[in-house]
Amino acid sequence: ELKVEQNPLFLSMQEGKNYTIYCNYSTTSDRLYWYRQDPGKSLESLFVLLSNGAVKQEGRLMASLDTKARLSTLHITAAVHDLSATYFCAFTEGGTDKLIFGTGTRLQVFP
Amino acid sequence: GAGVSQSPSNKVTEKGKDVELRCDPISGHTALYWYRQSLGQGLEFLIYFQGNSAPDKSGLPSDRFSAERTGGSVSTLTIQRTQQEDSAVYLCASSWVRIFTTDTQYFGPGTRLTVL
């Protein structure tokens, strides 16, 4: 069964702190996506990781991909309240473009 | 430029009725996807159109669900004889599909379907 496991499912963190969200996926894939969703809103693309060892950074977020371990991480540096949202990772099923999504990590940043 | 648009934004219907949900992809995008998001099942793939190829319908949960894409652009997702378990947010996405790689999928705002 194709599946994606994210952890933690819920993360409450103080502003200024660092934390990492983990995404494990169950099959060979060389494309991994991270999306952000604000309450009541649609999905916003954050990162597309296309190869083993890929690392991308945007502001306080950095994503990496290890295809051998089937693991992607989303690292948050010095969190701010504006980062509060739900973060989803997703991979594409081999040979197709359909996204298989993780359960999401709900991030809440408090002062 | 304009993003993916969907209509209606909200739809409330009675059990047993048919509904149609519309998606306008980003102009020039060759691929169009439907997903749904519900509390119990999370985000699930439904169907995928790419150019003139036969659609990938592997995610449709039952034969009550169908979709078409006219002229390689606008798509309509139809749910016949709606059931309460069909209540969810239906999301449409579109992307370029290029040789050896795939652009990210850009999502529309969704249609919230409530079946009473």
Side-chain angles (χ1 to χ4, degrees):
Chain A
E1 179 190 354
L2 297 170
K3 61 178 183 177
V4 184
E5 292 183 350
Q6 274 184 248
N7 68 84
L9 297 181
F10 181 75
L11 176 57
S12 181
M13 58 189 296
Q14 194 171 20
E15 282 188 329
K17 298 294 186 182
N18 304 332
Y19 208 82
T20 300
I21 299 170
Y22 296 87
C23 173
N24 285 93
Y25 54 98
S26 63
T27 191
T28 302
S29 176
D30 57 4
R31 283 183 274 159
L32 197 291
Y33 301 78
W34 284 95
Y35 283 88
R36 167 183 172 145
Q37 186 175 40
D38 292 288
K41 304 291 185 181
S42 190
L43 295 162
E44 174 191 352
S45 175
L46 295 175
F47 301 106
V48 181
L49 302 169
L50 297 176
S51 60
N52 187 42
V55 177
K56 290 194 174 179
Q57 183 164 5
E58 181 72 34
R60 301 175 188 273
L61 300 177
M62 184 174 70
S64 66
L65 178 62
D66 181 342
T67 58
K68 294 179 181 177
R70 299 179 187 172
L71 171 69
S72 180
T73 61
L74 182 67
H75 186 73
I76 303 156
T77 302
V80 293
H81 179 71
D82 285 352
L83 290 179
S84 298
T86 299
Y87 293 84
F88 291 92
C89 65
F91 72 95
T92 50
E93 189 179 355
T96 78
D97 295 302
K98 51 190 179 185
L99 293 174
I100 311 297
F101 282 90
T103 51
T105 295
R106 186 177 167 197
L107 172 65
Q108 188 173 32
V109 181
F110 59 92
Chain B
V4 177
S5 61
Q6 293 185 245
S7 61
S9 55
N10 279 285
K11 177 72 177 179
V12 180
T13 190
E14 294 179 347
K15 178 181 173 181
K17 301 282 190 182
D18 298 352
V19 295
E20 286 189 350
L21 313 180
R22 177 188 167 104
C23 172
D24 279 276
I26 293 172
S27 177
H29 278 188
T30 56
L32 186 147
Y33 314 79
W34 283 97
Y35 297 86
R36 73 175 176 181
Q37 185 173 27
S38 59
L39 281 176
Q41 302 298 322
L43 273 157
E44 305 172 279
F45 165 80
L46 296 177
I47 188 169
Y48 159 48
F49 296 89
Q50 163 52 15
N52 295 320
S53 303
D56 179 344
K57 305 179 183 180
S58 60
L60 295 178
S62 78
D63 58 8
R64 296 186 295 105
F65 288 72
S66 63
E68 62 177 20
R69 187 179 186 191
T70 53
S73 181
V74 171
S75 177
T76 302
L77 177 69
T78 302
I79 309 173
Q80 296 179 309
R81 305 181 303 281
T82 51
Q83 304 293 314
Q84 288 182 330
E85 61 261 30
D86 299 335
S87 296
V89 176
Y90 289 81
L91 295 165
C92 176
S94 70
S95 73
W96 281 104
V97 177
R98 291 171 283 203
I99 296 174
F100 301 125
T101 187
T102 300
D103 202 348
T104 192
Q105 295 179 25
Y106 295 90
F107 282 79
T111 294
R112 181 175 296 276
L113 175 65
T114 303
V115 182
L116 301 177

